[in-house]
């Protein structure tokens, strides 16, 4: 291994406040004679000049004890936020120039997977760095950068991560890696989409073998969800195409129907998310549009089953169910004549569900746009109190009257608040008026 120092890359790509926190850690580590390193994604991102504020530090020793040592050494500047003794990890916060900087500390650890798709079991903590590195996913994520004074900036690259990074190749570290943890396939998908990298030949062959093996019954749906979310939230057509074409979808469910026109569908999805981003208030839900596109033709029960398997929240499942329900009644919108019929079709649907519907029915763009740009925002100025004031008995009829007023407003039959009031009065049946004594 030839010595490569990443001084220039580190100085250029790490913000000053993080550098200061790292220097504090380095000083403390030297005092304790503990080797400490930046590790994983942050080292990768320093090399390729990508912003990354997830600072992972590995301590060749006990990271929890080191965290408390830092807190004692820098009172008022450093505090331990949380520790997990069983994992040998700690989160610490530095307060530098009134800014809070979070660092994750982990003891080096050796792990094994008792069976395929299981969670790893820690065999040893405080082991040497090499043992810690070989348990990881891809060579590009297996690099460490020394923070100790004598070797500051030194890149520790046992497995050729630097060259793979420069070549844009994703290589796993050993042939059982995907079998141990199939979510690494989705992580590979994420990195391939994020950085434009490709799986190396051997890694690709092992991915195909793993996906064909179907050995992921034990795979936790919440882990699949976490990785899938990150991959699809990047909003790249290539992510959906690869997810389908490379059979990665099998990790979610082996029976997801494969759309024929996946290439076009993927591009329409990417463009729709981009074009309608002003309507999407939470970019973190973008991934549900991609999932919705794949599941739009599925029965409610099947979507419920997948939602349960992936530990989706109620709202996340609603988006998928809502999208499928809209797609199934597409004919109603197709035949709609009035503005109110368009309104009623989409009323109360989540924007993500509406966009899935649009992606599957681009011929109905005008009506989707009409709803999102205009109809969705139309409100009437009268409410239940107004109806009581004009002498109506509270009851189910309130909803009907207000809906008729809204319908008239949406259909542009009335425009002003006075007209709404007049319209409501004309709708009132004399029997529904309040008795004088009740007033
Ligand atoms: N890792 C792994 N296998 C996994 C998940 C993570 O080996 N299934 C390792 C990788 O070495 C990774 C590190 O744990 O670099 C930290 O994981 P995470 O923070 O999820 O990944 P990053 O590489 O930092 O990726 P991102 O930039 O997407 O956060």
């Amino acid at each position: 291994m030839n010595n490569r120092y990443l001084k220039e890359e580190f100085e250029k790509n790490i913000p000053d406040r993080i550098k200061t926190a790292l220097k504090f850690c380095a000083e403390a580590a030297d005092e304790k004679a503990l080797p400490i390193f930046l590790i994983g994604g942050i080292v990768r991102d320093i090399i390729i000049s990508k912003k990354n504020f997830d600072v992972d530090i590995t301590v060749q020793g006990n990271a929890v004890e080191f965290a408390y040592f830092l807190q004692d050494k820098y009172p008022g500047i450093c505090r331990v936020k949380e520790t997990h003794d069983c994992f040998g990890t700690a989160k610490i916060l530095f307060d530098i120039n009134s800014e809070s900087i979070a660092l994750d500390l982990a003891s080096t650890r050796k792990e094994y997977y008792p069976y395929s798709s299981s969670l790893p079991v820690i065999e040893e903590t405080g082991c040497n760095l090499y043992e810690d590195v070989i348990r990881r996913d891809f060579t590009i994520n297996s690099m460490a950068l020394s923070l100790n004074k004598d070797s500051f900036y030194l890149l520790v690259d046992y497995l050729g991560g630097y060259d793979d990074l420069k070549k844009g190749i994703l290589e796993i570290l050993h042939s059982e890696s995907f079998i141990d943890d199939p979510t690494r396939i989705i992580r590979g998908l994420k990195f391939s989409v994020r950085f434009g990298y490709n799986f190396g030949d051997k890694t690709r062959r092992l991915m195909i073998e793993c996906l064909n093996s179907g050995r992921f019954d034990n795979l936790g749906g919440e882990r699949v969800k976490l990785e899938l979310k990150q991959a699809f939230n990047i909003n790249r057509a290539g992510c959906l195409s690869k997810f389908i074409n490379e059979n990665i979808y099998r990790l979610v469910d082996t029976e997801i129907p494969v759309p024929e026109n996946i290439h076009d569908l993927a591009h329409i999805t990417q463009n729709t998310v981009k074009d309608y981003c002003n309507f999407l208030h939470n970019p973190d839900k973008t991934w549900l549009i991609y999932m919705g596109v794949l599941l739009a033709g599925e029965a409610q029960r099947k979507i419920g089953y997948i939602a349960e398997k992936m530990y989706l929240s109620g709202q996340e499942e609603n988006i998928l169910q809502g999208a499928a329900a809209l797609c199934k009644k597409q004919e109603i919108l197709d035949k709609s004549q009035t503005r109110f019929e368009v309104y009623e079709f989409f009323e109360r649907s989540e924007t993500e569900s509406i966009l899935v519907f649009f992606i599957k029915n681009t011929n109905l763009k005008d009506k989707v746009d009409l709803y999102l740009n205009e109809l969705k925002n139309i409100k009437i100025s009268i409410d239940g109190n107004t109806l009581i004031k004009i002498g109506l008995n509270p009851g189910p009829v309130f909803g009907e009257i207000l809906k008729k007023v809204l319908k008239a407003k949406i259909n542009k039959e009335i425009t002003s608040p006075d007209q709404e009031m007049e319209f409501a009065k004309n709708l009132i049946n004399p029997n529904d008026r309040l008795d004088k004594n009740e007033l």
Side-chain angles (χ1 to χ4, degrees):
M1 195 172 64
N2 57 353
N3 285 350
R4 179 176 271 124
Y5 288 85
L6 299 183
K7 179 172 182 197
E8 204 181 305
E9 293 90 334
F10 178 94
E11 293 298 338
K12 190 171 108 204
N13 297 310
I14 297 286
D16 284 345
R17 58 185 197 286
I18 297 180
K19 271 184 207 154
T20 310
L22 293 178
K23 296 229 161 96
F24 280 127
C25 293
E27 254 174 57
D30 283 334
E31 196 177 321
K32 294 292 266 179
L34 272 180
I36 65 162
F37 307 85
L38 284 179
I39 190 96
I42 187 155
V43 180
R44 175 199 70 213
D45 290 345
I46 287 173
I47 298 171
I48 55 173
S49 292
K50 286 249 175 204
K51 290 245 169 317
N52 183 340
F53 302 120
D54 285 341
V55 186
D56 287 321
I57 293 176
T58 191
V59 178
Q60 198 171 293
N62 187 324
V64 175
E65 281 174 19
F66 182 59
Y68 286 112
F69 178 70
L70 283 167
Q71 181 172 263
D72 292 343
K73 186 171 164 66
Y74 306 110
I77 298 178
C78 175
R79 89 183 152 84
V80 177
K81 188 174 173 232
E82 58 191 52
T83 59
H84 300 277
D85 287 293
C86 50
F87 295 111
T89 58
K91 199 180 253 312
I92 54 168
L93 293 176
F94 274 95
D95 192 354
I96 293 167
N97 299 334
S98 311
E99 267 192 275
S100 180
I101 293 128
L103 306 181
D104 285 310
L105 303 180
S107 315
T108 44
R109 63 179 188 256
K110 196 173 168 184
E111 291 177 344
Y112 70 95
Y113 291 80
Y115 50 90
S116 69
S117 306
S118 67
L119 285 172
V121 172
I122 299 176
E123 209 176 327
E124 187 190 336
T125 55
C127 57
N128 65 41
L129 180 68
Y130 179 76
E131 297 284 3
D132 182 276
V133 152
I134 56 165
R135 69 177 170 86
R136 291 172 183 266
D137 54 357
F138 296 98
T139 59
I140 62 164
N141 290 337
S142 71
M143 291 178 278
L145 187 150
S146 173
L147 295 174
N148 296 94
K149 199 166 163 202
D150 287 350
S151 49
F152 203 83
Y153 306 122
L154 176 68
L155 177 71
V156 185
D157 179 16
Y158 295 113
L159 301 158
Y162 188 88
D163 289 342
D164 287 345
L165 195 54
K166 293 287 170 183
K167 283 189 262 175
I169 293 180
L170 295 165
E171 293 287 11
I172 47 173
L173 309 187
H174 58 91
S175 58
E176 291 295 297
S177 181
F178 287 147
I179 298 289
D180 285 344
D181 179 359
T183 62
R184 288 175 170 167
I185 295 175
I186 309 177
R187 288 175 60 80
L189 172 70
K190 170 178 83 177
F191 296 124
S192 79
V193 171
R194 189 195 288 170
F195 302 130
Y197 294 171
N198 290 311
F199 286 116
D201 291 343
K202 192 168 167 223
T203 294
R204 196 177 150 67
R205 189 168 45 73
L206 290 164
M207 173 185 81
I208 294 169
E209 272 174 34
C210 173
L211 290 168
N212 287 341
S213 78
R215 285 166 63 188
F216 19 81
D217 285 350
N218 303 309
L219 185 58
E222 71 279 39
R223 289 158 66 205
V224 172
K225 173 184 164 181
L226 186 83
E227 296 297 348
L228 214 52
K229 195 170 165 177
Q230 292 184 26
F232 280 134
N233 279 349
I234 302 172
N235 190 33
R236 287 282 179 286
C239 192
L240 185 58
S241 303
K242 283 186 183 171
F243 185 67
I244 293 300
N245 293 338
E246 314 261 349
N247 295 331
I248 301 173
Y249 69 88
R250 289 182 185 167
L251 296 175
V252 174
D253 190 273
T254 42
E255 276 155 28
I256 289 180
V258 175
E260 276 169 24
N261 53 346
I262 190 64
H263 180 81
D264 294 345
L265 201 59
H267 277 92
I268 297 170
T269 307
Q270 179 186 313
N271 292 335
T272 301
V273 171
K274 196 167 134 262
D275 296 345
Y276 288 81
C277 64
N278 288 342
F279 296 98
L280 295 168
H281 301 303
N282 185 354
D284 237 25
K285 289 197 231 152
T286 300
W287 74 288
L288 290 164
I289 300 179
Y290 282 88
M291 290 304 290
V293 165
L294 290 178
L295 299 175
E298 291 299 286
Q300 192 181 6
R301 238 180 90 197
K302 176 74 184 266
I303 295 174
Y305 166 74
I306 290 177
E308 194 180 326
K309 213 160 71 163
M310 292 180 76
Y311 295 84
L312 298 197
S313 69
Q315 197 205 22
E316 288 169 337
E317 180 177 350
N318 264 345
I319 289 173
L320 300 182
Q321 296 285 15
L326 288 176
C327 291
K328 280 177 198 113
K329 57 177 188 174
Q330 161 276 344
E331 231 175 87
I332 297 180
L333 188 69
D334 204 11
K335 289 190 181 143
S336 65
Q337 301 281 338
T338 67
R339 287 161 55 93
F340 188 69
E341 282 169 342
V342 174
Y343 175 86
E344 262 193 318
F345 182 82
F346 289 120
E347 192 187 356
R348 282 192 281 274
S349 295
E350 299 275 357
T351 309
E352 288 80 6
S353 307
I354 296 173
L355 293 184
V356 171
F357 172 84
F358 166 65
I359 292 160
K360 302 291 264 182
N361 300 280
T362 44
N363 56 319
L364 294 171
K365 179 174 173 37
D366 290 350
K367 289 177 176 173
V368 171
D369 286 352
L370 173 68
Y371 178 77
L372 289 175
N373 286 313
E374 201 186 326
L375 306 186
K376 190 173 186 251
N377 304 318
I378 296 180
K379 304 269 179 291
I380 51 174
S381 55
I382 63 167
D383 59 14
N385 289 329
T386 328
L387 298 183
I388 291 175
K389 275 188 200 136
I390 59 174
L392 195 67
N393 257 336
V397 72
F398 269 38
E400 284 165 36
I401 291 176
L402 293 174
K403 189 168 176 186
K404 281 181 182 159
V405 175
L406 179 66
K407 179 176 177 182
K409 185 158 183 186
I410 287 177
N411 284 340
K412 295 187 170 169
E413 290 156 21
I414 54 175
T415 49
S416 70
D418 288 349
Q419 285 174 323
E420 284 178 29
M421 187 73 109
E422 211 42 44
F423 193 86
K425 278 184 185 158
N426 291 336
L427 288 172
I428 295 176
N429 174 337
N431 296 335
D432 290 324
R433 282 187 187 276
L434 288 172
D435 191 282
K436 282 217 169 60
N437 297 334
E438 289 180 65
L439 286 168

